[in-house]
């Protein structure tokens, strides 16, 4: 769900990265990487991070995997400069490059099919009226037998959020696959597990894992949600419950975000 003036107080947007959704999402995403992604990569793997997180995931991967090298794609030169400075301060400037690119420019900037891991969220898809061209451009960066990890918003959970805010029209738009968001917000595609499988099949990507999270925290006006991120013991219990759902394939469709781990089989075009 895209943050907008009338919805800034919702559970997902409240508190930003330090709020309940932000902390849970970061912790669960990293757990999913540890369980389903990193064990399948070579020690000196190469990666591309195309996510709206100012290079934060690229830096975390570089920190945890000192033999890896990567590229973070920022939406503007200014954002790339800021992320580059943060990586230099953290000591990863020699292993993580930060480049600015617009949709359609990735192949010319990075070449085709040479990276062990490509991670993306919905941000590089927002320039396209349909998600297929953006996903095709990202999949072309993956080496044969490499992985693409897609982290995408769920249309069902977004509709649930809008209904919790009393916005029936926005909920209807969400079920149709589009988050209306604020009037000047970028185009936001929403997904279902079945849609992701079909999109990946069309791109000759094999879906190895498909789950979703957070799945237990639902939109509600509750001071409990506001307290959880700041009460470490309570947060740890909520995170434990969410991690138990993470390994249950039947619970993934309930998640606010959907995570697909896919392989580009050797010999794919």
């Amino acid at each position: 769900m895209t943050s907008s003036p009338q919805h800034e107080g919702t559970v997902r947007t409240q508190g930003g990265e330090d709020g309940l959704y932000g902390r849970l999402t970061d912790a669960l995403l990293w757990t999913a990487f540890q369980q389903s992604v990193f064990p399948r990569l070579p020690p000196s793997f190469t990666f591309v991070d195309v996510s709206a997180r100012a290079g934060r995931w690229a830096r975390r991967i570089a920190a945890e995997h000192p033999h890896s090298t990567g590229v973070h794609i920022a939406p503007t030169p200014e954002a790339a400069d800021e992320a580059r400075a943060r990586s230099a301060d953290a000591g990863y400037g020699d292993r993580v490059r930060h480049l600015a690119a617009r949709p359609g420019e990735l192949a010319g900037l990075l070449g085709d099919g040479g990276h062990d891991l490509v991670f993306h969220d919905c941000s590089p898809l927002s320039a396209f009226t349909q998600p297929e061209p953006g996903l095709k451009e990202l999949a072309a960066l993956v080496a044969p037998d490499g992985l693409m990890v897609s982290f995408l918003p769920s249309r069902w959970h977004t509709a649930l959020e809008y209904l919790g805010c009393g916005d029936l029209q926005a909920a209807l738009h969400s079920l149709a696959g589009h988050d209306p968001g604020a009037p000047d917000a970028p185009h936001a595609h929403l997904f279902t597990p079945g849609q992701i499988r079909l999109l990946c099949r069309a791109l000759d990507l094999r879906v190895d894992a498909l789950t979703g999270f957070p799945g237990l925290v639902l939109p509600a006006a509750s001071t409990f949600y506001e307290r959880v991120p700041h009460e470490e013991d309570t947060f740890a219990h909520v995170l434990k419950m969410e991690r138990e759902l993470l390994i249950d394939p039947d619970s993934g469709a309930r998640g606010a975000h959907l995570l697909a781990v896919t392989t580009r089989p050797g010999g794919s075009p």
Side-chain angles (χ1 to χ4, degrees):
M1 175 177 175
T2 304
S3 178
S4 58
Q6 66 268 36
H7 296 121
E8 284 179 352
T10 63
V11 172
R12 191 185 302 191
T13 58
Q14 187 173 4
E17 295 175 356
D18 295 327
L20 179 57
Y21 260 70
R23 287 197 62 188
L24 278 177
T25 299
D26 281 0
L28 293 167
L29 181 55
W30 191 250
T31 297
F33 266 97
Q34 291 175 316
Q35 292 177 346
S36 303
V37 179
F38 294 138
R40 300 177 55 193
L41 296 173
S44 300
F45 65 86
T46 59
F47 67 89
V48 180
D49 170 14
V50 194
S51 63
R53 290 300 186 98
R56 187 156 60 90
W57 286 110
R59 287 190 295 276
R60 185 164 186 181
I61 293 172
E64 297 291 334
H65 296 272
H67 299 293
S68 66
T69 56
V71 180
H72 162 243
I73 301 298
T76 65
E78 293 77 14
D81 289 342
E82 180 182 352
R84 189 178 300 113
R86 292 184 182 184
S87 288
D89 290 342
Y92 312 129
D94 60 332
R95 293 195 293 115
V96 180
R97 293 187 295 152
H98 298 273
L99 306 174
R102 294 177 295 179
E105 297 179 344
L106 294 181
L109 195 64
L110 300 176
D112 287 338
H115 302 277
D116 299 308
L117 169 65
V118 174
F119 167 62
H120 74 92
D121 59 12
C122 62
S123 58
L125 309 180
S126 62
F128 301 95
T129 56
Q130 297 297 326
E132 288 87 346
L135 290 169
K136 183 177 181 179
E137 181 182 27
L138 292 162
L141 303 175
V142 183
D145 297 318
L147 304 181
M148 185 165 85
V149 178
S150 305
F151 188 54
L152 302 167
S154 163
R155 69 171 66 181
W156 299 332
H157 203 286
T158 303
L160 182 62
E161 285 202 58
Y162 277 123
L163 280 178
C165 297
D167 194 332
L168 178 61
Q169 289 302 313
L172 290 171
H173 280 291
S174 300
L175 289 177
H178 305 285
D179 186 344
D184 58 346
H187 195 90
H189 300 287
L190 303 172
F191 297 83
T192 67
Q195 179 191 10
I196 290 173
R197 291 189 182 94
L198 290 174
L199 289 168
C200 291
R201 184 183 304 168
L203 294 170
D204 294 317
L205 296 173
R206 184 183 71 234
V207 178
D208 300 318
L210 180 56
T211 187
F213 50 83
L216 296 176
V217 178
L218 299 178
S222 170
T223 56
F224 174 72
Y225 283 147
E226 297 174 10
R227 296 199 319 266
V228 170
H230 309 291
E231 296 179 356
E232 293 302 322
D233 186 60
T234 303
F235 179 80
H237 282 292
V238 175
L239 179 58
K240 182 177 183 293
M241 290 188 285
E242 288 281 2
R243 281 178 169 153
E244 290 173 354
L245 286 185
L246 188 61
I247 61 176
D248 182 348
D250 294 330
S251 70
R254 186 180 178 86
H257 306 277
L258 301 173
L259 180 78
V261 180
T262 61
T263 298
R264 181 184 182 184
S268 295

